[in-house]
């Protein structure tokens, strides 16, 4: 199914982007000061960079797990929630705490927003598909009439 392949590819791309943020958080927190939290760079410490990195690493892992099998509702739901959390985080930082500018928040907001909309709209579709674990082939769920035959 094309839509499942597209979602899987999207999740892998997002995971790779998140890995970059993990690297920066652990090894170059000053990039967060200048490129992300550009309105309040003094608030970004080495500890803040590491905490952001470990949180991002967890969401990266969720993306990879969901890309492997997007049809499991608990995995799909946890991944979906990670995008909702990221979207809320950046919206709060932009509008309430004002630690990020529009320029620096735009990319994370687009990724989190598109992912939230896509996964939210596709919840019933993706979580009712079945995935053959041996071949990674997605198939439609059986209907009641097919089960009786």
């Amino acid at each position: 199914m094309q839509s499942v392949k597209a979602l899987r590819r999207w999740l892998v791309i997002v995971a790779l982007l998140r890995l970059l943020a993990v690297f920066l958080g652990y090894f170059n927190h000053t990039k967060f000061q200048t490129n992300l939290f550009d309105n309040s760079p003094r608030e970004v410490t080495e500890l803040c960079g590491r905490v952001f990195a470990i949180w991002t690493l967890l969401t990266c892992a969720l993306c990879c797990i969901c890309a492997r099998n997007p049809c499991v509702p608990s995995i799909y739901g946890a991944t979906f929630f990670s995008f909702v959390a990221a979207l809320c985080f950046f919206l709060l930082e932009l509008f309430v705490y004002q630690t990020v500018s529009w320029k620096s928040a735009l990319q994370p907001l687009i990724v989190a927003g598109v992912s939230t909309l896509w996964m939210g709209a596709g919840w019933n579709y993706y979580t009712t598909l079945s995935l053959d674990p041996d071949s990674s082939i997605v198939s439609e769920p059986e209907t009641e009439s097919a089960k009786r035959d």
Side-chain angles (χ1 to χ4, degrees), residues 12-77:
V12 169
I13 290 168
V14 170
L16 292 173
L17 289 172
R18 288 178 172 184
L19 277 178
L20 176 62
V22 170
F23 177 81
L24 292 176
Y26 272 108
F27 303 109
N28 194 0
H29 79 282
T30 57
K31 286 288 185 189
F32 283 144
Q33 291 174 325
T34 57
N35 294 353
L36 187 58
F37 297 98
D38 54 348
N39 285 352
S40 296
R42 291 173 287 128
E43 293 185 37
V44 181
T45 63
E46 287 184 41
L47 176 61
C48 176
R50 291 190 305 270
V51 169
F52 190 87
I54 200 69
W55 172 65
T56 305
L57 183 62
L58 178 62
T59 63
C60 177
L62 282 171
C63 284
C64 291
I65 293 167
C66 191
R68 173 74 175 101
N69 192 352
C71 305
V72 177
S74 56
I75 294 171
Y76 191 92

Side-chain angles (χ1 to χ4, degrees), residues 54-120:
I54 200 69
W55 172 65
T56 305
L57 183 62
L58 178 62
T59 63
C60 177
L62 282 171
C63 284
C64 291
I65 293 167
C66 191
R68 173 74 175 101
N69 192 352
C71 305
V72 177
S74 56
I75 294 171
Y76 191 92
T79 307
F80 171 65
F81 180 76
S82 75
F83 286 115
V84 171
L87 185 62
C88 291
F89 173 79
F90 283 105
L91 287 173
L92 284 169
E93 293 301 321
L94 181 63
F95 293 115
V96 177
Y97 304 113
Q98 299 177 349
T99 58
V100 297
S101 66
W102 271 104
K103 178 185 169 198
S104 63
L106 192 58
Q107 187 266 341
L109 285 173
I110 289 172
V111 171
V114 167
S115 301
T116 299
L117 289 174
W118 187 348
M119 293 188 79

